[in-house]
Amino acid sequence: MSEIQEPNDTGFSFDAYTKEKIKSTARIAGIVAIVFLASSVLDIFQYFFYKNANTVSKKEGFNEPSLQQLANTSSVFALIVGILISLVSAYFLYSFFVNSKQGIAYSEGAKFDTGLKNLGNFFKLWAILITFFMVIIFLSALAAGMGLSFN
Amino acid sequence: MESHEEMNTETPINPQTEWAITNISRWVRYIAIFGFSVGGFIVTVMLFNGASVFKAIEAALPIKIQGLYTALVIGFFILFFIAAAVLYFLYKASQQLIRGLLQKDTFLLAEGFRYLKNFFIVMSVYGVIMFLANLLKLLYV
């Protein structure tokens, strides 16, 4: 199936079959970007719609104002971080979709490269996030385990 | 028609494209291997302590219905195998992309992108389900 053309910088070229696969991948990535965006909008709407649901801590008996404020601040912070991650992921995937499609359609190598770089950035972002969150979970479990053993 | 003609022409792979594909493969392989490691750890924990973990989760849930324990076990297995499939797609994509570059074989590159497409299909289905679940929660609670 591989077709090697006349010598160029790397010695081979994308054929029509490969370009079709990249285009279809980019199309699905574009859909995922839209889903990320829609989820962000829904999260914002959900936060303001359920603003008064932060009374969970009150129901549990933790009704000091400082704890209430901490709970509210934490939920706002988590919302902002979540939305930022969704928006950045959506940007990378949408950029991959648009630039790859245009790069293939108009044989613009620079746009195509930009699209692929943004796809790489998307996976880099999630690799870093996953590592970070797993480290946090591991340290929390370690701290919980040490706390239990000292009690 | 114009798009069809463009698709039929060969597009040379320059060093920047090669670097971009190598970069994609590197991060995708990292996520896949990390995921397999975490999955292996979870399997080990579940083998030794699975029943007590599920019982603890069942006790912690606010809803108490008959068959909840069984539902938790089945749900865990479904999610586990979906996650395994997703990681498999990522690992194969990384492998095929790197092999395609090393062997200068565009068919292998195409296969790599096909596995990435499968990964994005699973992600989009999951994303849509979560979006609809949150939307229903918003509308009916």
Side-chain angles (χ1 to χ4, degrees):
Chain A
M1 273 298 273
S2 65
E3 295 178 18
I4 299 174
Q5 285 290 62
E6 293 296 314
N8 52 31
D9 288 345
T10 55
F12 69 129
S13 320
F14 286 123
D15 56 2
Y17 176 73
T18 310
K19 285 196 275 190
E20 180 54 45
K21 288 293 168 205
I22 295 172
K23 256 186 89 168
S24 58
T25 305
R27 208 175 295 130
I28 306 292
I31 293 170
V32 176
I34 291 167
V35 170
F36 268 122
L37 206 58
S39 299
S40 304
V41 170
L42 191 65
D43 282 342
I44 295 171
F45 190 69
Q46 207 166 30
Y47 173 75
F48 288 108
F49 191 79
Y50 281 116
K51 208 173 183 179
N52 296 327
N54 289 336
T55 53
V56 167
S57 52
K58 271 190 198 164
K59 286 178 189 171
E60 291 174 348
F62 294 98
N63 50 9
E64 291 178 24
S66 56
L67 276 168
Q68 287 288 310
Q69 199 174 7
L70 181 66
N72 287 339
T73 311
S74 305
S75 65
V76 170
F77 180 72
L79 176 74
I80 290 170
V81 167
I83 286 169
L84 271 174
I85 292 169
S86 288
L87 289 178
V88 172
S89 302
Y91 167 74
F92 285 145
L93 288 179
Y94 192 72
S95 175
F96 165 57
F97 163 60
V98 167
N99 286 307
S100 299
K101 200 175 86 157
Q102 288 182 354
I104 289 169
Y106 303 114
S107 290
E108 288 178 33
K111 282 206 167 185
F112 185 61
D113 291 342
T114 304
L116 289 180
K117 275 178 199 157
N118 279 310
L119 182 63
N121 288 339
F122 168 79
F123 285 114
K124 184 159 92 175
L125 168 72
W126 278 96
I128 291 168
L129 285 173
I130 288 166
T131 309
F132 177 73
F133 285 119
M134 288 312 295
V135 166
I136 297 283
I137 288 168
F138 175 73
L139 289 175
S140 306
L142 203 63
M146 283 172 69
L148 282 170
S149 62
F150 281 126
N151 282 344
Chain B
M1 187 61 157
E2 187 181 19
S3 160
H4 179 69
E5 282 172 1
E6 288 294 343
M7 291 287 290
N8 281 333
T9 58
E10 300 274 338
T11 305
I13 298 174
N14 56 39
Q16 287 79 30
T17 311
E18 208 175 69
W19 180 86
I21 294 173
T22 308
N23 194 40
I24 291 167
S25 170
R26 187 184 308 134
W27 290 111
V28 166
R29 185 165 19 126
Y30 177 87
I31 293 171
I33 290 173
F34 196 87
F36 283 138
S37 311
V38 169
F41 176 75
I42 288 172
V43 165
T44 310
V45 166
M46 285 304 183
L47 277 173
F48 287 105
N49 223 12
S52 54
V53 168
F54 282 122
K55 281 195 170 75
I57 295 170
E58 189 189 12
L61 286 175
I63 46 168
K64 306 278 180 223
I65 51 169
Q66 192 122 17
L68 184 61
Y69 181 83
T70 312
L72 280 173
V73 173
I74 292 170
F76 168 77
F77 274 106
I78 290 171
L79 284 174
F80 185 82
F81 282 114
I82 290 171
V86 165
L87 292 172
Y88 171 76
F89 290 146
L90 287 179
Y91 183 74
K92 286 298 288 185
S94 154
Q95 197 183 47
Q96 301 293 66
L97 287 175
I98 276 295
R99 272 192 197 164
L101 287 177
L102 289 173
Q103 297 173 21
K104 296 194 192 305
D105 188 336
T106 53
F107 178 70
L108 290 176
L109 289 178
E111 285 298 290
F113 278 103
R114 187 173 69 85
Y115 281 110
L116 279 181
K117 180 179 151 187
N118 292 342
F119 164 74
F120 283 125
I121 288 172
V122 174
M123 285 291 108
S124 62
V125 168
Y126 173 76
V128 166
I129 289 171
M130 292 307 294
F131 176 80
L132 288 174
N134 284 333
L135 192 63
L136 282 172
K137 193 173 102 175
L138 203 63
L139 291 173
Y140 291 110
V141 174

